[in-house]
Amino acid sequence: LGDYEIHPGPGGFNSVRQISSGEVMHSINRPEDEANRLYVEQSALAQRLTASDTSADELVIWDVGLGAGSNAMAVLRCFERCDAEKGERTLRPLRLVSFECDLDPLRLAAGKAGYFPHVRHGAPQAILNQGHWTHRSGGMHWELLHGDFLALFATSRPPDLIFYDPFSYKTDSALWTQEAFARIFQFCAPKPAELYTYSAATAVRAALLNAGFFVGEGIGTGPKADTTIAFTRAEAAATHPRTPRLLGGEWLARWRRSSSKAPATLAADVRVQFEARIESHPQFIRQEAAKA
């Protein structure tokens, strides 16, 4: 369908492949397994929805790169499990905002649900037809913002969690720049926010740090030894249920030796400023002070 086709995986599951770039969505692990491990479980979503001291404020999740809907449906299934098990508890209200410029991957998966177990639900079709879906309890709202993420995100509410899953820099370069992350960071400033992504690239982590995020190691998935979590506030990393380790002196030393220290397109004076902001980032200053 359009620029996308079904890609049979080596483990007996199916993924969606973009024909023009050759990139495969969730190519190594079963899509729903990777979505759960990397985004839902690592962010402790169930705990955030059900904790007895949970805020009554709506939990807002940005699903950046809806694709074939694997991450969004993992969020929805988590909410449904929590709703079924809640007993006398009241779940925290949840708003899932999916951003996508091309709906053909979801149309392909929804039209071939025999190949894709995660879309065997009424919600994906409602998203395609109406652009929104609400759980029968009224506790979860899923909405679609169709178009360029960078042009649309300011029309949404600031998120608590960001599941950042666009195609790689090779295909979606605008979404991996320092400028893009700086805009996200500034928009999220009124509240603590956490960004989860599959990338562990030095260039991506450097861009996040330069934008102001506190950056840590996420869990490994598939062939990746680790992924990345970024926080708008340092205290959010310290209180995170999974206590992720922030990048420290070892990473900083590797970055100093890297050919990806700063974007190659930067002018010399701007490059100096870029590198200086990372060297003076509070994340590393605090760690050095703690050692002293």
Side-chain angles (χ1 to χ4, degrees):
L1 180 63
D3 193 26
Y4 302 90
E5 64 183 3
I6 297 173
H7 177 81
F13 59 86
N14 297 289
S15 301
V16 172
R17 175 180 179 270
Q18 187 181 48
I19 299 167
S20 59
S21 69
E23 289 202 39
V24 180
M25 302 175 183
H26 305 281
S27 59
I28 304 300
N29 303 313
R30 193 174 296 276
E32 52 267 40
D33 293 346
E34 182 167 295
N36 269 304
R37 177 171 169 76
L38 178 55
Y39 297 108
V40 171
E41 293 177 4
Q42 187 172 211
S43 67
L45 178 57
Q47 182 175 335
R48 295 173 193 267
L49 293 172
T50 60
S52 57
D53 59 348
T54 290
S55 166
D57 293 341
E58 191 172 52
L59 181 72
V60 180
I61 299 177
W62 281 2
D63 167 39
V64 183
L66 169 63
S70 297
N71 298 334
M73 287 304 296
V75 170
L76 186 154
R77 300 290 189 187
C78 177
F79 181 88
E80 289 188 329
R81 287 194 298 272
C82 292
D83 183 68
E85 299 167 0
K86 68 181 180 181
E88 297 300 316
R89 293 173 298 176
T90 300
L91 295 187
R92 183 175 182 181
L94 172 63
R95 180 171 299 273
L96 174 64
V97 185
S98 290
F99 297 86
E100 183 55 69
C101 60
D102 189 343
L103 295 176
D104 279 349
L106 184 58
R107 291 190 183 107
L108 176 60
K112 297 289 185 180
Y115 292 85
F116 299 99
H118 72 281
V119 295
R120 296 170 193 169
H121 191 287
Q125 203 60 55
I127 287 294
L128 289 170
N129 293 339
Q130 290 93 41
H132 58 86
W133 173 86
T134 300
H135 187 260
R136 54 175 174 73
S137 68
M140 175 182 173
H141 300 278
W142 179 14
E143 62 189 66
L144 169 68
L145 290 182
H146 183 199
D148 179 5
F149 167 70
L150 295 177
L152 288 173
F153 75 75
T155 66
S156 179
R157 289 179 52 190
D160 299 280
L161 305 175
I162 304 172
F163 296 164
Y164 206 76
D165 198 21
F167 279 126
S168 72
Y169 180 85
K170 178 182 71 174
T171 303
D172 255 342
S173 56
L175 296 184
W176 297 101
T177 63
Q178 184 274 341
E179 292 81 5
F181 290 133
R183 288 182 55 199
I184 295 169
F185 182 87
Q186 291 162 9
F187 186 76
C188 295
K191 64 196 281 192
E194 302 167 16
L195 183 150
Y196 298 78
T197 184
Y198 62 87
S199 178
T202 297
V204 170
R205 289 176 168 178
L208 285 162
L209 286 162
N210 201 269
F213 285 94
F214 292 79
V215 180
E217 296 178 356
I219 61 170
T221 176
K224 295 179 181 293
D226 59 355
T227 52
T228 299
I229 310 177
F231 304 87
T232 56
R233 300 182 187 177
E235 57 269 25
T239 59
H240 190 280
R242 298 186 180 274
T243 57
R245 185 167 72 95
L246 292 180
L247 304 180
E250 184 178 340
W251 181 89
L252 193 60
R254 289 199 306 271
W255 169 77
R256 288 169 178 153
R257 299 190 299 268
S258 172
S259 59
S260 303
K261 283 182 71 177
T265 55
L266 294 183
D269 58 333
V270 180
R271 182 185 182 92
V272 170
Q273 295 171 13
F274 183 99
E275 294 178 5
R277 280 196 294 270
I278 293 178
E279 293 280 2
S280 61
H281 194 291
Q283 173 168 330
F284 303 118
I285 301 299
R286 291 181 185 184
Q287 290 182 11
E288 288 302 316
K291 290 179 183 178

